[in-house]
Amino acid sequence: MRTDELVELIALDAVSEGRLAPRVLATGLGLLALSGAVVIGILGIRVDLMQAMVDPVTVMKWLIPLALMAVAGFGAIRLTHPERSMPLTARVVIGGIVLAMTGWWAIRAFAVPPAQVMPRAVGDTALACLVSITVISTPALAGALSLLRRGASTSPVASGALAGLAVSGAATAIYALHCDEDAPLFFILWYGLGMGLVTAAGAVAGRRWLRW
């Protein structure tokens, strides 16, 4: 059997099982809500949440991760079809956000005295930030990958990475309901590292589990 015939058969089989997107979304969001409720239930919600959400700087703690979640989630679903690739627009958006956040962090770092850069960047809750984002993300990533296996991605590493970025973006936005460290030097660095770790884990898992 030729490769193109095999791809066609797999694609038809995926369609026969029903659309993956609603199931992936329902599973991912459900598990994120569950694990997020547990973590936030333990840590608590910041007392000034409403004021934080209207601050133009602090609100980026939600807008940026949620934007990455939306774009990466779309990309992961799209790649379940073997005849499709990740849109250039999605790549530009993700790359643009990463570059913009890197530039913003650098500008903030140069704007404060050198002796204050590390204290502001490290903050008081860096470890809790990384652990919380990972804990909230893990069940949803496992659930999403188990469903994405029913697709026929020809780019399993990219599919896994996008799934990891999507769930970690949502997890970061959930954790931000608790986190009251609002300095961009802190949240750009540690939120970015948290999402990066889960994205890397998704890529590794995708390479192993999403091959066909």
Side-chain angles (χ1 to χ4, degrees):
M1 181 181 293
R2 298 198 308 271
T3 301
D4 56 345
E5 293 175 340
L6 177 61
V7 168
E8 183 177 356
L9 286 174
I10 293 174
L12 289 173
D13 183 62
V15 172
S16 69
E17 292 183 2
R19 296 180 62 86
L20 272 177
R23 286 182 287 172
V24 173
L25 288 173
T27 299
L29 292 176
L31 290 172
L32 281 165
L34 181 61
S35 57
V38 171
V39 171
I40 294 300
I42 294 171
L43 298 178
I45 296 177
R46 59 183 295 170
V47 295
D48 61 340
L49 179 62
M50 298 310 297
Q51 295 94 319
M53 284 188 164
V54 298
D55 182 273
V57 173
T58 307
V59 75
M60 293 299 169
K61 295 169 67 175
W62 291 279
L63 293 182
I64 294 166
L66 290 176
L68 290 170
M69 176 200 72
V71 176
F74 169 74
I77 293 295
R78 183 178 175 85
L79 288 180
T80 59
H81 300 274
E83 74 281 6
R84 296 180 182 176
S85 60
M86 186 176 175
L88 178 60
T89 303
R91 300 182 188 184
V92 170
V93 169
I94 294 174
I97 289 175
V98 172
L99 288 175
M101 292 304 98
T102 302
W104 188 14
W105 193 94
I107 290 171
R108 289 282 182 163
F110 282 113
V112 301
Q116 296 182 19
V117 173
M118 287 306 297
R120 293 191 184 188
V122 174
D124 298 318
T125 60
L127 181 60
C129 176
L130 290 179
V131 171
S132 298
I133 291 173
T134 303
V135 168
I136 297 171
S137 299
T138 299
L141 179 58
L145 289 174
S146 69
L147 288 173
L148 291 174
R149 292 185 69 180
R150 302 181 185 181
S153 174
T154 56
S155 302
V157 174
S159 293
L162 288 169
L165 180 57
V167 300
S168 63
T172 300
I174 293 171
Y175 173 71
L177 297 172
H178 160 77
C179 177
D180 59 1
E181 300 218 44
D182 298 335
L185 285 175
F186 176 87
F187 71 76
I188 292 174
L189 175 61
W190 296 105
Y191 286 16
L193 284 175
M195 288 186 283
L197 287 173
V198 179
T199 299
V204 172
R207 184 176 183 272
R208 180 182 179 87
W209 292 337
L210 300 182
R211 290 185 299 176
W212 53 273

